[in-house]
Amino acid sequence: METAPFDLLVIGSGAAGMTVALGLLAQRPGARVGVLSKSDLSEGSTKYAQGGIAAVLDATDSIEAHIRDTLIAGGGLCYEPAVRAVVEGAPAAIRWLIANGVVFDSEHGDLHLTREGGHSHRRIVHSADATGLAVQTSLEARLRESGAVLFEDHNVVDLIRERLPQGRQGRCVGAYVFDRGDGRVHRFPARTVLLASGGASKVYLYSSNPDGSTGDGIAMAWRAGCRVGNLEFAQFHPTCLYHPRAKSFLVTEAVRGEGGRLLRPDGTRFMDEYDSRGELAPRDIVARAIDDVMKRLGCDCVYLDISHRPAEFITQHFPTVYAEALKYGFDMTREPLPVVPAAHYTCGGVITDLAGRTDVDNLYAVGEVACTGLHGANRMASNSLLECLVIGAAAARDIAGKLDEIPTLPALAPWDETWVTDSDEEVVVSHNWDELRRFMWDYVGIVRSTKRLERARHRVKLLHSEIEDYYGSFRVTSDLLELRNLVTVADLIIRSALARRESRGLHYTIDFPTLDTVAPPQNTILVPKTFAARRVA
Protein backbone atom coordinates (compact mmCIF):
# COMPACT_ATOMS: atom_id res chain seq x y z
CA MET A 1 0.00 0.00 0.00
CA GLU A 2 1.13 3.55 -0.69
CA THR A 3 -0.07 6.58 1.26
CA ALA A 4 -0.91 9.90 -0.35
CA PRO A 5 2.27 11.99 -0.73
CA PHE A 6 3.38 14.15 2.17
CA ASP A 7 5.03 17.54 2.00
CA LEU A 8 6.95 16.53 5.12
CA LEU A 9 7.33 13.08 6.64
CA VAL A 10 8.62 13.30 10.23
CA ILE A 11 10.30 10.19 11.64
CA GLY A 12 10.08 10.60 15.40
CA SER A 13 7.64 12.37 17.70
CA GLY A 14 9.77 14.04 20.36
CA ALA A 15 10.70 17.70 20.77
CA ALA A 16 12.69 17.86 17.52
CA GLY A 17 10.06 16.25 15.31
CA MET A 18 7.14 18.15 16.81
CA THR A 19 8.99 21.49 16.59
CA VAL A 20 9.57 21.03 12.85
CA ALA A 21 6.06 19.72 12.18
CA LEU A 22 4.36 22.55 14.10
CA GLY A 23 6.74 25.13 12.65
CA LEU A 24 6.03 24.09 9.07
CA LEU A 25 2.27 24.00 9.62
CA ALA A 26 2.36 27.48 11.15
CA GLN A 27 4.14 28.82 8.05
CA ARG A 28 2.36 26.65 5.48
CA PRO A 29 -1.10 25.87 6.92
CA GLY A 30 -2.11 23.75 3.93
CA ALA A 31 0.95 21.51 4.05
CA ARG A 32 0.40 17.76 4.36
CA VAL A 33 2.54 16.57 7.28
CA GLY A 34 2.87 13.00 8.49
CA VAL A 35 4.43 12.07 11.84
CA LEU A 36 5.64 8.53 12.53
CA SER A 37 6.23 7.03 15.97
CA LYS A 38 7.51 3.53 16.77
CA SER A 39 5.02 3.24 19.63
CA ASP A 40 2.87 5.90 21.31
CA LEU A 41 3.59 9.48 20.25
CA SER A 42 4.86 10.29 23.73
CA GLU A 43 7.16 7.31 24.14
CA GLY A 44 10.44 8.97 23.11
CA SER A 45 13.34 10.44 25.05
CA THR A 46 11.84 13.92 25.42
CA LYS A 47 9.39 13.11 28.19
CA TYR A 48 12.17 11.54 30.27
CA ALA A 49 14.31 14.70 30.24
CA GLN A 50 14.20 15.87 33.85
CA GLY A 51 16.64 18.76 34.12
CA GLY A 52 15.54 21.55 31.82
CA ILE A 53 16.51 23.87 28.97
CA ALA A 54 19.52 26.18 29.07
CA ALA A 55 18.80 29.81 28.19
CA VAL A 56 20.36 33.15 29.11
CA LEU A 57 17.52 34.98 30.84
CA ASP A 58 19.21 36.55 33.87
CA ALA A 59 20.85 39.98 33.84
CA THR A 60 23.98 38.62 35.55
CA ASP A 61 24.42 35.99 32.82
CA SER A 62 25.44 36.52 29.19
CA ILE A 63 25.30 34.88 25.77
CA GLU A 64 29.09 34.88 25.69
CA ALA A 65 29.26 33.03 29.03
CA HIS A 66 26.88 30.33 27.79
CA ILE A 67 28.91 29.98 24.60
CA ARG A 68 32.15 29.79 26.58
CA ASP A 69 30.78 27.13 28.94
CA THR A 70 29.60 25.04 25.98
CA LEU A 71 32.94 25.32 24.20
CA ILE A 72 34.82 24.27 27.34
CA ALA A 73 32.58 21.24 27.87
CA GLY A 74 32.94 20.29 24.20
CA GLY A 75 36.64 19.56 24.55
CA GLY A 76 37.85 21.60 21.60
CA LEU A 77 35.52 20.05 19.01
CA CYS A 78 32.46 22.31 19.12
CA TYR A 79 31.59 24.11 15.89
CA GLU A 80 31.42 27.67 17.22
CA PRO A 81 28.86 29.00 14.70
CA ALA A 82 26.51 26.20 15.78
CA VAL A 83 27.08 27.01 19.45
CA ARG A 84 26.40 30.69 18.87
CA ALA A 85 23.28 30.07 16.77
CA VAL A 86 21.75 27.73 19.33
CA VAL A 87 22.62 29.85 22.37
CA GLU A 88 21.37 33.06 20.74
CA GLY A 89 18.15 31.30 19.76
CA ALA A 90 17.39 30.11 23.30
CA PRO A 91 15.24 33.01 24.61
CA ALA A 92 12.97 32.87 21.55
CA ALA A 93 12.68 29.09 21.94
CA ILE A 94 11.55 29.47 25.56
CA ARG A 95 8.99 32.10 24.54
CA TRP A 96 7.69 29.74 21.83
CA LEU A 97 7.25 26.92 24.33
CA ILE A 98 5.39 29.17 26.75
CA ALA A 99 3.13 30.33 23.91
CA ASN A 100 2.42 26.67 23.18
CA GLY A 101 1.32 25.95 26.72
CA VAL A 102 4.46 24.78 28.50
CA VAL A 103 4.42 25.92 32.13
CA PHE A 104 7.82 26.52 33.75
CA ASP A 105 8.57 27.06 37.42
CA SER A 106 8.66 30.67 38.49
CA GLU A 107 9.76 32.60 41.54
CA HIS A 108 8.70 36.15 42.46
CA GLY A 109 7.19 36.58 39.01
CA ASP A 110 10.26 35.48 37.05
CA LEU A 111 11.20 32.10 35.64
CA HIS A 112 13.09 30.08 38.25
CA LEU A 113 16.57 29.24 36.98
CA THR A 114 18.66 26.39 38.33
CA ARG A 115 22.25 25.40 37.64
CA GLU A 116 23.75 22.19 36.28
CA GLY A 117 27.20 20.75 35.65
CA GLY A 118 29.43 22.78 33.34
CA HIS A 119 27.32 25.95 33.59
CA SER A 120 28.88 29.02 35.22
CA HIS A 121 25.49 30.63 35.94
CA ARG A 122 21.95 29.69 36.84
CA ARG A 123 20.32 29.46 33.41
CA ILE A 124 18.29 26.24 33.40
CA VAL A 125 14.58 26.86 32.80
CA HIS A 126 12.61 23.93 34.18
CA SER A 127 9.24 22.52 35.14
CA ALA A 128 10.12 21.01 38.53
CA ASP A 129 12.18 17.93 37.62
CA ALA A 130 9.96 16.83 34.73
CA THR A 131 10.68 19.45 32.07
CA GLY A 132 10.69 17.00 29.19
CA LEU A 133 7.28 15.70 30.18
CA ALA A 134 5.89 19.24 30.26
CA VAL A 135 7.32 19.94 26.79
CA GLN A 136 6.13 16.63 25.34
CA THR A 137 2.62 16.96 26.77
CA SER A 138 2.07 20.51 25.56
CA LEU A 139 3.54 20.11 22.07
CA GLU A 140 1.79 16.78 21.56
CA ALA A 141 -1.55 18.41 22.39
CA ARG A 142 -0.83 21.09 19.77
CA LEU A 143 0.25 18.46 17.24
CA ARG A 144 -2.93 16.41 17.69
CA GLU A 145 -5.04 19.46 16.85
CA SER A 146 -2.74 20.75 14.07
CA GLY A 147 -4.03 18.67 11.16
CA ALA A 148 -0.88 16.54 10.92
CA VAL A 149 -1.50 12.88 10.06
CA LEU A 150 -0.24 10.77 12.96
CA PHE A 151 1.00 7.18 12.67
CA GLU A 152 1.69 5.36 15.93
CA ASP A 153 3.22 1.87 16.08
CA HIS A 154 5.07 2.37 12.79
CA ASN A 155 8.76 1.50 12.29
CA VAL A 156 10.68 2.92 9.35
CA VAL A 157 12.59 0.21 7.49
CA ASP A 158 14.65 2.38 5.13
CA LEU A 159 14.66 5.73 3.38
CA ILE A 160 13.91 5.86 -0.36
CA ARG A 161 16.06 7.84 -2.78
CA GLU A 162 15.07 8.73 -6.33
CA ARG A 163 16.55 6.44 -8.99
CA LEU A 164 18.57 8.35 -11.58
CA PRO A 165 20.22 7.23 -14.84
CA GLN A 166 23.37 5.06 -14.71
CA GLY A 167 22.31 3.59 -11.36
CA ARG A 168 22.79 6.84 -9.50
CA GLN A 169 20.63 7.90 -6.57
CA GLY A 170 19.12 11.34 -6.12
CA ARG A 171 17.01 13.12 -3.56
CA CYS A 172 15.13 11.49 -0.70
CA VAL A 173 11.53 10.83 -1.78
CA GLY A 174 10.05 8.93 1.15
CA ALA A 175 10.42 5.81 3.24
CA TYR A 176 9.41 2.18 3.54
CA VAL A 177 7.49 1.82 6.80
CA PHE A 178 6.56 -1.29 8.78
CA ASP A 179 3.05 -1.12 10.25
CA ARG A 180 3.04 -3.13 13.47
CA GLY A 181 -0.74 -3.35 13.23
CA ASP A 182 -0.99 -5.29 9.97
CA GLY A 183 2.58 -6.64 9.91
CA ARG A 184 3.27 -5.24 6.44
CA VAL A 185 5.67 -2.72 4.88
CA HIS A 186 4.09 0.27 3.14
CA ARG A 187 5.36 3.11 0.94
CA PHE A 188 5.28 6.65 2.35
CA PRO A 189 6.16 9.11 -0.45
CA ALA A 190 7.28 12.55 0.75
CA ARG A 191 8.75 15.70 -0.76
CA THR A 192 10.90 16.20 2.34
CA VAL A 193 11.79 13.77 5.12
CA LEU A 194 12.95 14.63 8.63
CA LEU A 195 14.91 12.26 10.85
CA ALA A 196 14.03 13.11 14.46
CA SER A 197 14.39 9.60 15.83
CA GLY A 198 16.73 10.27 18.76
CA GLY A 199 19.97 8.59 19.75
CA ALA A 200 21.43 5.13 20.13
CA SER A 201 22.00 4.61 23.85
CA LYS A 202 20.19 1.25 23.83
CA VAL A 203 23.30 -0.12 22.15
CA TYR A 204 24.57 -0.37 25.74
CA LEU A 205 23.40 -2.78 28.41
CA TYR A 206 22.63 0.00 30.91
CA SER A 207 20.88 3.10 29.66
CA SER A 208 18.66 5.86 30.98
CA ASN A 209 16.86 5.97 27.62
CA PRO A 210 13.52 4.43 26.63
CA ASP A 211 13.62 1.16 24.72
CA GLY A 212 13.15 2.89 21.36
CA SER A 213 16.55 4.66 21.39
CA THR A 214 18.07 2.19 18.94
CA GLY A 215 19.91 4.48 16.54
CA ASP A 216 17.39 3.99 13.74
CA GLY A 217 17.85 7.37 12.08
CA ILE A 218 21.65 7.20 12.17
CA ALA A 219 21.65 3.73 10.62
CA MET A 220 19.08 4.65 7.95
CA ALA A 221 20.93 7.83 7.01
CA TRP A 222 24.22 5.90 6.75
CA ARG A 223 22.61 3.32 4.45
CA ALA A 224 21.13 6.18 2.40
CA GLY A 225 24.55 7.77 1.82
CA CYS A 226 24.97 10.34 4.62
CA ARG A 227 28.18 10.93 6.51
CA VAL A 228 28.19 10.53 10.28
CA GLY A 229 30.45 12.27 12.77
CA ASN A 230 31.88 11.92 16.29
CA LEU A 231 30.03 8.74 17.22
CA GLU A 232 32.77 7.74 19.66
CA PHE A 233 31.39 10.38 22.03
CA ALA A 234 28.67 8.52 23.94
CA GLN A 235 27.66 10.36 27.08
CA PHE A 236 27.07 8.33 30.21
CA HIS A 237 24.83 10.03 32.74
CA PRO A 238 26.64 9.78 36.08
CA THR A 239 23.63 9.20 38.30
CA CYS A 240 20.96 6.64 37.54
CA LEU A 241 19.13 4.98 40.41
CA TYR A 242 20.74 1.64 41.24
CA HIS A 243 18.11 -0.98 41.95
CA PRO A 244 17.32 -4.26 40.15
CA ARG A 245 13.76 -3.11 39.42
CA ALA A 246 14.43 0.55 38.68
CA LYS A 247 15.58 0.00 35.07
CA SER A 248 18.15 2.80 35.32
CA PHE A 249 15.80 5.56 36.41
CA LEU A 250 17.57 8.88 35.86
CA VAL A 251 18.38 11.04 38.87
CA THR A 252 18.53 14.54 37.40
CA GLU A 253 21.80 16.45 37.38
CA ALA A 254 19.94 19.30 39.04
CA VAL A 255 20.19 17.35 42.33
CA ARG A 256 23.93 17.96 42.21
CA GLY A 257 23.29 21.50 40.99
CA GLU A 258 21.33 22.17 44.17
CA GLY A 259 24.01 20.80 46.49
CA GLY A 260 23.83 17.02 46.16
CA ARG A 261 27.08 15.27 47.18
CA LEU A 262 28.56 12.10 45.73
CA LEU A 263 29.74 9.66 48.40
CA ARG A 264 31.67 6.42 48.64
CA PRO A 265 29.91 3.56 50.48
CA ASP A 266 31.69 4.70 53.67
CA GLY A 267 30.04 8.14 53.39
CA THR A 268 33.13 10.14 52.28
CA ARG A 269 33.07 12.56 49.36
CA PHE A 270 35.39 11.94 46.40
CA MET A 271 34.65 14.38 43.53
CA ASP A 272 37.06 17.05 44.80
CA GLU A 273 39.86 14.52 44.31
CA TYR A 274 39.04 14.35 40.58
CA ASP A 275 38.09 17.91 39.64
CA SER A 276 38.17 21.33 41.31
CA ARG A 277 34.51 21.83 40.37
CA GLY A 278 33.53 18.83 42.45
CA GLU A 279 30.00 17.59 41.81
CA LEU A 280 29.46 20.38 39.26
CA ALA A 281 32.14 19.10 36.89
CA PRO A 282 30.93 18.10 33.39
CA ARG A 283 29.25 14.73 33.07
CA ASP A 284 32.16 12.89 31.46
CA ILE A 285 34.45 13.73 34.38
CA VAL A 286 31.84 12.80 36.97
CA ALA A 287 30.98 9.52 35.20
CA ARG A 288 34.65 8.49 34.95
CA ALA A 289 35.22 9.40 38.59
CA ILE A 290 32.30 7.21 39.69
CA ASP A 291 33.51 4.39 37.41
CA ASP A 292 37.00 4.67 38.92
CA VAL A 293 35.71 4.63 42.51
CA MET A 294 33.51 1.60 41.81
CA LYS A 295 36.38 -0.31 40.18
CA ARG A 296 38.92 0.59 42.87
CA LEU A 297 36.60 -0.38 45.72
CA GLY A 298 34.83 -3.23 43.94
CA CYS A 299 31.47 -1.71 44.91
CA ASP A 300 28.25 -1.95 42.91
CA CYS A 301 27.34 1.72 43.23
CA VAL A 302 28.12 5.05 44.87
CA TYR A 303 25.67 7.36 46.67
CA LEU A 304 24.13 10.75 45.94
CA ASP A 305 23.12 12.66 49.07
CA ILE A 306 21.01 15.81 49.28
CA SER A 307 19.37 14.96 52.60
CA HIS A 308 21.17 17.92 54.24
CA ARG A 309 18.74 20.24 52.40
CA PRO A 310 15.27 20.83 53.91
CA ALA A 311 12.75 18.10 53.12
CA GLU A 312 10.28 20.65 51.73
CA PHE A 313 12.92 21.98 49.32
CA ILE A 314 13.68 18.46 48.06
CA THR A 315 10.07 17.42 47.50
CA GLN A 316 9.24 20.74 45.83
CA HIS A 317 12.22 20.79 43.46
CA PHE A 318 12.49 17.06 42.76
CA PRO A 319 9.01 15.57 43.09
CA THR A 320 9.54 13.02 40.30
CA VAL A 321 12.83 11.69 41.66
CA TYR A 322 11.51 11.71 45.22
CA ALA A 323 8.37 9.74 44.31
CA GLU A 324 10.22 7.25 42.11
CA ALA A 325 12.94 6.61 44.71
CA LEU A 326 10.28 6.12 47.36
CA LYS A 327 8.80 3.29 45.26
CA TYR A 328 12.05 1.38 45.76
CA GLY A 329 12.35 2.13 49.47
CA PHE A 330 14.65 5.17 49.36
CA ASP A 331 13.66 8.45 51.05
CA MET A 332 16.02 11.07 49.61
CA THR A 333 14.97 13.59 52.27
CA ARG A 334 16.54 11.32 54.90
CA GLU A 335 19.19 9.20 53.16
CA PRO A 336 21.49 9.09 50.11
CA LEU A 337 20.38 7.40 46.88
CA PRO A 338 22.43 4.54 45.36
CA VAL A 339 23.50 5.56 41.83
CA VAL A 340 25.52 4.23 38.87
CA PRO A 341 26.41 5.68 35.44
CA ALA A 342 24.34 4.64 32.40
CA ALA A 343 24.46 5.43 28.68
CA HIS A 344 22.47 8.61 28.22
CA TYR A 345 23.15 10.68 25.10
CA THR A 346 24.65 10.21 21.63
CA CYS A 347 26.75 13.33 21.00
CA GLY A 348 27.62 12.46 17.39
CA GLY A 349 25.25 11.56 14.60
CA VAL A 350 24.22 12.40 11.05
CA ILE A 351 26.18 15.42 9.86
CA THR A 352 23.95 18.43 9.14
CA ASP A 353 24.18 22.15 8.66
CA LEU A 354 22.42 24.67 10.91
CA ALA A 355 19.09 24.19 9.11
CA GLY A 356 19.19 20.44 9.65
CA ARG A 357 20.08 19.61 6.03
CA THR A 358 21.99 16.36 5.46
CA ASP A 359 24.15 15.17 2.57
CA VAL A 360 21.03 13.90 0.74
CA ASP A 361 18.75 16.47 -0.85
CA ASN A 362 15.40 16.91 0.92
CA LEU A 363 16.52 14.79 3.88
CA TYR A 364 16.82 16.62 7.21
CA ALA A 365 17.96 15.52 10.66
CA VAL A 366 17.33 17.37 13.93
CA GLY A 367 17.97 16.56 17.57
CA GLU A 368 19.99 13.71 19.04
CA VAL A 369 20.11 11.89 15.70
CA ALA A 370 22.10 14.78 14.21
CA CYS A 371 25.60 16.18 14.54
CA THR A 372 25.57 19.97 14.12
CA GLY A 373 28.81 20.53 16.03
CA LEU A 374 27.01 22.01 19.05
CA HIS A 375 28.14 19.35 21.50
CA GLY A 376 31.65 18.60 20.25
CA ALA A 377 33.27 15.92 22.39
CA ASN A 378 30.80 16.25 25.26
CA ARG A 379 27.25 17.59 25.57
CA MET A 380 26.71 20.14 28.30
CA ALA A 381 23.62 19.62 30.44
CA SER A 382 20.32 21.05 29.14
CA ASN A 383 21.69 22.05 25.73
CA SER A 384 20.00 19.09 24.03
CA LEU A 385 16.34 20.10 24.22
CA LEU A 386 17.50 23.58 23.27
CA GLU A 387 19.14 22.24 20.10
CA CYS A 388 15.90 20.44 19.15
CA LEU A 389 13.98 23.70 19.41
CA VAL A 390 16.40 26.10 17.72
CA ILE A 391 17.60 23.87 14.87
CA GLY A 392 14.06 22.51 14.52
CA ALA A 393 12.72 26.02 13.98
CA ALA A 394 15.45 26.68 11.40
CA ALA A 395 14.63 23.43 9.57
CA ALA A 396 10.93 24.33 9.47
CA ARG A 397 11.76 27.70 7.91
CA ASP A 398 14.05 26.08 5.33
CA ILE A 399 11.46 23.46 4.35
CA ALA A 400 8.68 26.06 4.14
CA GLY A 401 10.79 28.18 1.82
CA LYS A 402 11.60 25.40 -0.64
CA LEU A 403 8.40 23.34 -0.87
CA ASP A 404 7.20 25.11 -4.01
CA GLU A 405 10.50 24.38 -5.78
CA ILE A 406 10.50 20.60 -5.22
CA PRO A 407 9.64 18.62 -8.38
CA THR A 408 6.83 16.10 -8.55
CA LEU A 409 7.59 12.84 -6.77
CA PRO A 410 8.43 9.78 -8.88
CA ALA A 411 6.58 6.48 -8.55
CA LEU A 412 7.99 4.42 -5.66
CA ALA A 413 8.78 0.75 -6.15
CA PRO A 414 6.61 -1.46 -3.90
CA TRP A 415 8.26 -3.33 -1.04
CA ASP A 416 9.07 -6.85 -2.24
CA GLU A 417 8.75 -9.60 0.34
CA THR A 418 7.75 -12.45 -1.96
CA TRP A 419 10.94 -14.33 -1.08
CA VAL A 420 10.67 -14.14 2.72
CA THR A 421 8.91 -16.35 5.23
CA ASP A 422 7.76 -15.94 8.81
CA SER A 423 10.47 -16.95 11.27
CA ASP A 424 9.94 -19.47 14.03
CA GLU A 425 13.32 -18.61 15.58
CA GLU A 426 12.75 -15.24 17.26
CA VAL A 427 15.05 -16.46 20.05
CA VAL A 428 17.97 -15.76 17.68
CA VAL A 429 17.07 -12.07 17.54
CA SER A 430 16.70 -11.94 21.32
CA HIS A 431 20.09 -13.59 21.92
CA ASN A 432 21.85 -11.34 19.39
CA TRP A 433 20.30 -8.25 20.95
CA ASP A 434 21.54 -9.27 24.41
CA GLU A 435 25.02 -10.20 23.17
CA LEU A 436 25.47 -6.89 21.35
CA ARG A 437 24.53 -4.72 24.32
CA ARG A 438 26.70 -6.70 26.72
CA PHE A 439 29.92 -6.55 24.71
CA MET A 440 29.35 -2.88 23.90
CA TRP A 441 29.08 -2.20 27.65
CA ASP A 442 32.15 -4.29 28.46
CA TYR A 443 34.42 -3.19 25.60
CA VAL A 444 33.17 0.20 24.35
CA GLY A 445 31.98 1.77 27.61
CA ILE A 446 33.20 4.60 29.83
CA VAL A 447 36.85 3.47 29.77
CA ARG A 448 38.21 1.87 26.58
CA SER A 449 41.36 0.28 25.19
CA THR A 450 42.49 -0.65 21.67
CA LYS A 451 42.39 -4.34 22.55
CA ARG A 452 38.83 -4.08 23.86
CA LEU A 453 37.73 -2.11 20.81
CA GLU A 454 39.28 -4.65 18.41
CA ARG A 455 37.56 -7.42 20.30
CA ALA A 456 34.23 -5.59 19.99
CA ARG A 457 34.80 -4.97 16.28
CA HIS A 458 35.35 -8.67 15.65
CA ARG A 459 32.16 -9.54 17.52
CA VAL A 460 30.07 -6.92 15.72
CA LYS A 461 31.24 -8.18 12.30
CA LEU A 462 30.01 -11.66 13.11
CA LEU A 463 26.70 -10.33 14.41
CA HIS A 464 26.24 -8.09 11.37
CA SER A 465 26.69 -11.02 9.00
CA GLU A 466 24.25 -13.17 10.97
CA ILE A 467 21.62 -10.43 11.17
CA GLU A 468 21.83 -9.54 7.48
CA ASP A 469 21.31 -13.20 6.62
CA TYR A 470 18.32 -13.32 8.97
CA TYR A 471 16.97 -10.02 7.59
CA GLY A 472 17.21 -11.32 4.02
CA SER A 473 15.42 -14.58 4.77
CA PHE A 474 12.54 -13.72 7.10
CA ARG A 475 9.72 -11.22 7.25
CA VAL A 476 10.69 -8.07 9.16
CA THR A 477 9.61 -7.43 12.74
CA SER A 478 10.14 -4.43 15.01
CA ASP A 479 12.77 -6.29 17.05
CA LEU A 480 14.68 -7.33 13.93
CA LEU A 481 14.61 -3.80 12.47
CA GLU A 482 15.90 -2.29 15.71
CA LEU A 483 18.60 -4.94 16.07
CA ARG A 484 19.75 -4.35 12.48
CA ASN A 485 20.06 -0.63 13.20
CA LEU A 486 21.82 -1.17 16.54
CA VAL A 487 24.45 -3.40 14.94
CA THR A 488 25.09 -0.78 12.24
CA VAL A 489 25.49 1.98 14.82
CA ALA A 490 27.64 -0.22 17.09
CA ASP A 491 30.01 -0.77 14.17
CA LEU A 492 30.16 2.99 13.50
CA ILE A 493 30.84 3.74 17.18
CA ILE A 494 33.67 1.19 17.33
CA ARG A 495 35.24 2.42 14.07
CA SER A 496 35.08 6.01 15.31
CA ALA A 497 36.63 5.08 18.67
CA LEU A 498 39.49 3.19 17.00
CA ALA A 499 40.19 6.17 14.76
CA ARG A 500 40.71 8.54 17.72
CA ARG A 501 44.19 7.97 19.15
CA GLU A 502 43.83 10.26 22.14
CA SER A 503 41.49 10.80 25.07
CA ARG A 504 39.18 13.73 24.54
CA GLY A 505 35.81 14.59 26.07
CA LEU A 506 33.67 11.50 26.44
CA HIS A 507 36.18 9.21 24.72
CA TYR A 508 38.73 7.87 27.21
CA THR A 509 41.20 5.13 26.31
CA ILE A 510 43.90 3.76 28.58
CA ASP A 511 46.22 3.35 25.56
CA PHE A 512 46.12 7.08 24.76
CA PRO A 513 45.12 8.68 28.09
CA THR A 514 45.97 12.29 27.19
CA LEU A 515 45.00 14.87 24.57
CA ASP A 516 46.88 14.98 21.29
CA THR A 517 48.45 18.43 21.66
CA VAL A 518 50.52 18.18 18.46
CA ALA A 519 47.76 18.11 15.85
CA PRO A 520 44.76 20.47 15.97
CA PRO A 521 41.51 18.91 17.27
CA GLN A 522 39.81 16.84 14.59
CA ASN A 523 36.26 15.56 14.19
CA THR A 524 35.85 11.89 13.37
CA ILE A 525 34.00 11.71 10.05
CA LEU A 526 32.94 8.37 8.54
CA VAL A 527 31.95 8.32 4.86
CA PRO A 528 29.71 5.57 3.44
CA LYS A 529 30.46 3.89 0.12
CA THR A 530 27.19 5.35 -1.16
CA PHE A 531 28.15 8.89 -0.12
CA ALA A 532 25.80 11.46 -1.64
CA ALA A 533 27.07 13.89 -4.24
CA ARG A 534 25.88 17.01 -2.41
CA ARG A 535 27.65 17.91 0.82
CA VAL A 536 26.39 20.11 3.59
CA ALA A 537 28.33 23.26 4.42
Side-chain angles (χ1 to χ4, degrees), residues 88-172:
E88 289 179 345
I94 299 300
R95 291 193 296 270
W96 182 76
L97 288 177
I98 293 172
N100 278 279
V102 180
V103 177
F104 295 110
D105 287 6
S106 59
E107 188 174 60
H108 308 304
D110 296 320
L111 290 174
H112 179 266
L113 305 175
T114 190
R115 184 179 173 190
E116 294 184 347
H119 291 275
S120 58
H121 292 77
R122 285 181 171 266
R123 62 170 71 103
I124 312 302
V125 181
H126 62 101
S127 181
D129 60 348
T131 306
L133 179 62
V135 170
Q136 181 71 36
T137 302
S138 295
L139 295 189
E140 186 179 323
R142 299 294 176 272
L143 186 67
R144 289 188 181 277
E145 62 188 25
S146 68
V149 186
L150 310 179
F151 299 89
E152 298 179 293
D153 297 315
H154 281 66
N155 290 54
V156 178
V157 180
D158 267 319
L159 301 169
I160 305 173
R161 291 183 61 184
E162 184 176 16
R163 295 179 179 178
L164 301 177
Q166 287 81 49
R168 293 177 297 117
Q169 291 185 309
R171 57 182 167 142
C172 184

Side-chain angles (χ1 to χ4, degrees), residues 52-75:
I53 304 169
V56 175
L57 299 171
D58 185 84
T60 64
D61 196 3
S62 70
I63 294 293
E64 295 306 318
H66 189 177
I67 291 172
R68 183 171 60 251
D69 292 343
T70 302
L71 294 175
I72 291 171

Side-chain angles (χ1 to χ4, degrees), residues 40 83 197 207 225 288 315 326 331 491 532:
D40 297 338
V83 177
S197 51
S207 170
R288 277 202 301 274
T315 56
L326 214 55
D331 184 349
D491 178 58

Side-chain angles (χ1 to χ4, degrees), residues 361-519:
D361 281 327
N362 298 345
L363 177 64
Y364 293 73
V366 175
E368 192 175 354
V369 68
C371 180
T372 61
L374 169 66
H375 305 305
N378 182 17
R379 176 185 74 105
M380 191 167 67
S382 293
N383 273 351
S384 47
L385 281 176
L386 177 60
E387 182 183 37
C388 292
L389 300 166
V390 176
I391 302 299
R397 290 192 297 270
D398 192 76
I399 295 168
K402 69 186 291 187
L403 273 182
D404 294 336
E405 305 168 5
I406 298 175
T408 303
L409 290 171
L412 304 186
W415 179 259
D416 183 8
E417 55 182 20
T418 56
W419 75 97
V420 300
T421 61
D422 291 311
S423 171
D424 59 359
E425 296 186 29
E426 288 297 317
V427 68
V428 175
V429 174
S430 177
H431 285 179
N432 286 350
W433 184 293
D434 184 63
E435 180 185 354
L436 172 69
R437 296 176 67 213
R438 285 186 182 277
F439 75 65
M440 286 296 289
W441 182 263
D442 290 339
Y443 302 148
V444 199
I446 297 173
V447 177
R448 301 162 177 174
S449 72
T450 301
K451 185 176 181 179
R452 293 173 192 167
L453 292 172
E454 291 287 4
R455 196 172 287 169
R457 189 176 188 184
H458 175 69
R459 300 279 287 277
V460 84
K461 281 183 178 179
L462 294 175
L463 269 183
H464 187 270
S465 176
E466 187 172 329
I467 291 164
E468 283 301 308
D469 179 64
Y470 197 94
Y471 176 80
S473 303
F474 300 107
R475 206 176 308 279
V476 298
T477 65
S478 293
D479 285 347
L480 178 58
L481 291 174
E482 290 181 334
L483 178 61
R484 178 183 181 229
N485 291 330
L486 275 178
V487 169
T488 296
V489 174
D491 178 58
L492 296 173
I493 292 171
I494 295 164
R495 287 166 57 183
S496 299
L498 282 168
R500 185 165 295 281
R501 301 174 71 82
E502 63 169 348
S503 289
R504 182 182 294 274
L506 298 166
H507 174 73
Y508 182 82
T509 170
I510 59 176
D511 293 316
F512 305 97
T514 59
L515 286 174
D516 180 355
T517 57
V518 177

